[in-house]
Amino acid sequence: MTEKGADDKWEFYEDHKQKHHKWRWRRTAKNGRIVGASTQGYADKFECIENAERNGFVRGDHS
């Protein structure tokens, strides 16, 4: 048995809608639905990845 959400796609991107471009993440299920996303923008990509890890992202498996 695989862990629930193991096949989800994780994306890290810069939000260009804000004055100061902030890093955000989103988690998309195999069926294309967004099942998770950052609630705020991060000035540093590393901080964004750390937040995603607290929400289930495993470094090295995706992105």
Side-chain angles (χ1 to χ4, degrees), residues 1-15:
M1 180 180 357
T2 61
E3 184 178 332
K4 184 176 180 181
D7 294 327
D8 291 354
K9 177 182 176 186
W10 290 82
E11 299 174 78
F12 297 91
Y13 62 96
E14 282 187 277
D15 184 354

Side-chain angles (χ1 to χ4, degrees), residues 11-13 15 18 22-25 38-41 48:
E11 299 174 78
F12 297 91
Y13 62 96
D15 184 354
Q18 296 184 8
K22 301 285 186 168
W23 284 95
R24 295 183 173 270
W25 62 265
S38 56
T39 57
Q40 68 182 59
C48 182

Side-chain angles (χ1 to χ4, degrees), residues 16-47:
H16 294 284
K17 294 178 185 177
Q18 296 184 8
K19 181 178 178 182
H20 302 287
H21 301 251
K22 301 285 186 168
W23 284 95
R24 295 183 173 270
W25 62 265
R26 89 177 120 235
R27 182 179 185 174
T28 308
K30 285 177 73 171
N31 64 6
R33 291 184 183 214
I34 296 173
V35 295
S38 56
T39 57
Q40 68 182 59
Y42 296 89
D44 186 60
K45 185 176 182 180
F46 179 75
E47 292 174 347

